[in-house]
Amino acid sequence: GAGVSQSPRYKVAKRGQDVALRCDPISGHVSLFWYQQALGQGPEFLTYFQNEAQLDKSGLPSDRFFAERPEGSVSTLKIQRTQQEDSAVYLCASSLGSAGDTGELFFGEGSRLTVL
Amino acid sequence: GNSVTQMEGPVTLSEEAFLTINCTYTATGYPSLFWYVQYPGEGLQLLLKATKADDKGSNKGFEATYRKETTSFHLEKGSVQVSDSAVYFCALSGRDTGRRALTFGSGTRLQVQP
């Protein structure tokens, strides 16, 4: 497709399970971002990739969160030993260049994670 | 650090009413400012932007002016339509800090009634 694709759209996990969320950015986009959006809140930055390099992971809330983009295209956000506070919508966004310059991020529809 | 404060919603208006959604920010340096919109069932998309003081961003009848003296970027539209019902997010990009990511406000839900 032409846009950013995320899967799964919905994920229910039992507390303590590991989950993996996938993001397919727009082809050729250099920058890729992960955000976490709690109910009724704005997106909160998690991590940023420029091609395959993870340049900023300052927003990852704990060492249970891990992201990778090994070939500079598809990215995976992994959450280990999920907790209830991890319940949120996880948004992926990509941009052609450095989004800090233009701000034009293209967002996927998100993966809604519910931890029971 | 950087932060964005938006007026709380929901904002409920009748069709053709005038819209203002307030946004103020705190940032070091000279950020770029943005409004993103999220229509029901869709991902966030860029509505408009301004990259320096006194710039006016505009799109689809919406406007916002970068006011450095008041650290504000209020969103306005002269005549709203039912199709404008969505959640609107104000955001900034702190280029001077080297941070590539956007900082978002908490969002304001707009409901336009026919």
Side-chain angles (χ1 to χ4, degrees):
Chain A
V4 177
S5 177
Q6 293 188 243
S7 61
R9 290 290 313 280
Y10 303 93
K11 175 69 178 178
V12 177
K14 292 182 179 179
R15 190 172 55 183
Q17 282 185 330
D18 298 348
V19 299
L21 308 176
R22 176 188 169 103
C23 173
D24 272 283
I26 295 173
S27 178
H29 276 198
V30 168
S31 296
L32 186 145
F33 299 79
W34 284 98
Y35 285 83
Q36 180 190 59
Q37 186 175 19
L39 188 64
Q41 299 298 313
E44 295 279 345
F45 170 75
L46 293 177
T47 187
Y48 162 63
F49 290 86
Q50 186 170 309
N51 295 308
E52 70 278 3
Q54 189 174 20
L55 298 186
D56 188 344
K57 54 182 181 179
S58 61
L60 296 177
S62 77
D63 59 7
R64 296 186 296 104
F65 287 71
F66 172 78
E68 60 183 4
R69 193 186 185 197
E71 297 179 358
S73 55
V74 170
S75 177
T76 303
L77 176 67
K78 298 179 179 178
I79 308 173
Q80 297 177 323
R81 305 181 303 280
T82 52
Q83 304 294 315
Q84 285 188 322
E85 61 263 29
D86 300 335
S87 296
V89 177
Y90 291 86
L91 300 174
C92 177
S94 70
S95 72
L96 186 60
S98 166
D101 294 331
T102 69
E104 183 142 24
L105 299 186
F106 295 84
F107 282 84
E109 294 182 17
S111 292
R112 181 180 297 277
L113 171 65
T114 302
V115 182
L116 303 178
Chain B
N2 297 338
S3 67
V4 176
T5 302
Q6 290 182 236
M7 61 187 290
E8 290 191 17
V11 174
T12 303
L13 297 173
S14 298
E15 207 164 22
E16 299 184 1
F18 183 85
L19 168 71
T20 299
I21 299 179
N22 291 336
C23 170
T24 57
Y25 68 90
T26 301
T28 55
Y30 302 94
S32 294
L33 302 173
F34 311 91
W35 278 99
Y36 275 76
V37 58
Q38 186 171 30
Y39 298 104
E42 300 183 15
L44 280 85
Q45 54 188 275
L46 178 65
L47 179 61
L48 54 83
K49 67 179 181 182
T51 57
K52 62 182 186 295
D54 300 325
D55 268 2
K56 177 184 285 187
S58 61
N59 186 25
K60 299 182 180 180
F62 290 89
E63 293 183 339
T65 301
Y66 188 140
R67 301 287 188 199
K68 186 171 181 293
E69 63 276 12
T70 55
T71 61
S72 66
F73 193 55
H74 305 321
L75 183 68
E76 296 181 336
K77 187 174 185 183
S79 176
V80 294
Q81 305 299 313
V82 172
S83 57
D84 294 326
S85 297
V87 182
Y88 292 82
F89 293 91
C90 186
L92 69 81
S93 174
R95 289 174 296 166
D96 288 0
T97 68
R99 185 88 180 279
R100 305 293 187 185
L102 297 178
T103 299
F104 286 88
S106 58
T108 303
R109 181 176 299 278
L110 170 65
Q111 298 173 333
V112 180
Q113 298 175 337

